[in-house]
């Protein structure tokens, strides 16, 4: 599926489910449960009646968690990482609040650019 053909939250999540299955997420029960919880939250938020910007903020935050989870599982597979699944989840939760800032090369202590992508910043 191509990104420009995504028409729903369910469509969007297909990519992450496929990639994580390819990376054998089922070998990491706590990470699998974490992903399933995020997946469910993403669908709930996308279907809620909350105001658009409230939903957008939450969707961006969960998206950051998906991206970090995917990176971490790819890294686990290719290294001798010694973090527990609980520690990885804690790290994902913490890092997700500044994910977009880091992806765009902004420093954590700098003021952010006025852009919707930073709505998930805490």
């Amino acid at each position: 599926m191509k990104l420009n053909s995504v028409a729903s939250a369910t469509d969007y999540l297909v990519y992450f489910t496929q990639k994580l299955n390819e990376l054998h997420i089922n070998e990491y029960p706590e990470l699998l449960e974490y992903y399933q919880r995020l997946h469910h939250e993403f669908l709930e938020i996308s279907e809620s009646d909350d105001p658009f910007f409230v939903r957008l903020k939450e969707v961006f935050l969960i998206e950051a968690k998906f991206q970090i989870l995917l990176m971490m599982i790819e890294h686990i597979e290719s290294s001798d990482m010694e973090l527990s699944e609980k520690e990885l989840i804690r790290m994902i939760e913490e890092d997700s609040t500044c994910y977009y800032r880091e992806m765009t090369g902004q420093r954590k202590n700098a003021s952010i650019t006025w852009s919707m992508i930073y709505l998930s910043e805490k």
Side-chain angles (χ1 to χ4, degrees):
M1 174 179 282
K2 294 185 178 193
L3 193 54
N4 63 359
S5 67
V6 170
S8 69
T10 303
D11 291 346
Y12 186 73
L13 293 174
V14 167
Y15 171 82
F16 291 106
T17 301
Q18 287 176 343
K19 288 298 283 185
L20 291 168
N21 284 333
E22 288 170 14
L23 293 168
H24 311 286
I25 192 170
N26 57 337
E27 294 177 13
Y28 309 99
E30 292 177 50
L31 293 177
L32 176 60
E33 181 182 324
Y34 178 67
Y35 172 67
Q36 290 169 336
R37 189 171 62 246
L38 292 175
H39 186 280
H40 179 74
E41 286 175 27
F42 191 90
L43 292 174
E44 277 188 342
I45 291 164
S46 70
E47 296 169 1
S48 82
D49 293 331
D50 289 339
F52 174 74
F53 281 94
V54 171
R55 289 183 301 147
L56 189 61
K57 176 181 179 175
E58 293 302 315
V59 164
F60 276 142
L61 184 58
I62 294 173
E63 160 71 10
K65 293 174 186 180
F66 287 151
Q67 295 293 344
I68 298 168
L69 176 60
L70 190 56
M71 285 188 289
M72 294 309 299
I73 290 185
E74 288 174 341
H75 190 68
I76 289 170
E77 292 292 309
S78 64
S79 73
D80 294 327
M81 186 179 290
E82 295 189 19
L83 293 173
S84 72
E85 290 179 63
K86 282 186 185 353
E87 291 169 319
L88 285 173
I89 292 168
R90 184 195 53 74
M91 188 175 75
I92 292 167
E93 287 291 315
E94 186 177 304
D95 291 351
S96 64
T97 62
C98 58
Y99 174 77
Y100 298 105
R101 181 185 297 241
E102 291 182 18
M103 291 301 294
T104 57
Q106 296 191 32
R107 296 174 189 216
K108 285 184 180 182
N109 59 355
S111 59
I112 56 174
T113 305
W114 188 262
S115 175
M116 287 188 283
I117 197 160
Y118 302 113
L119 288 172
S120 62
E121 290 269 332
K122 293 197 176 183

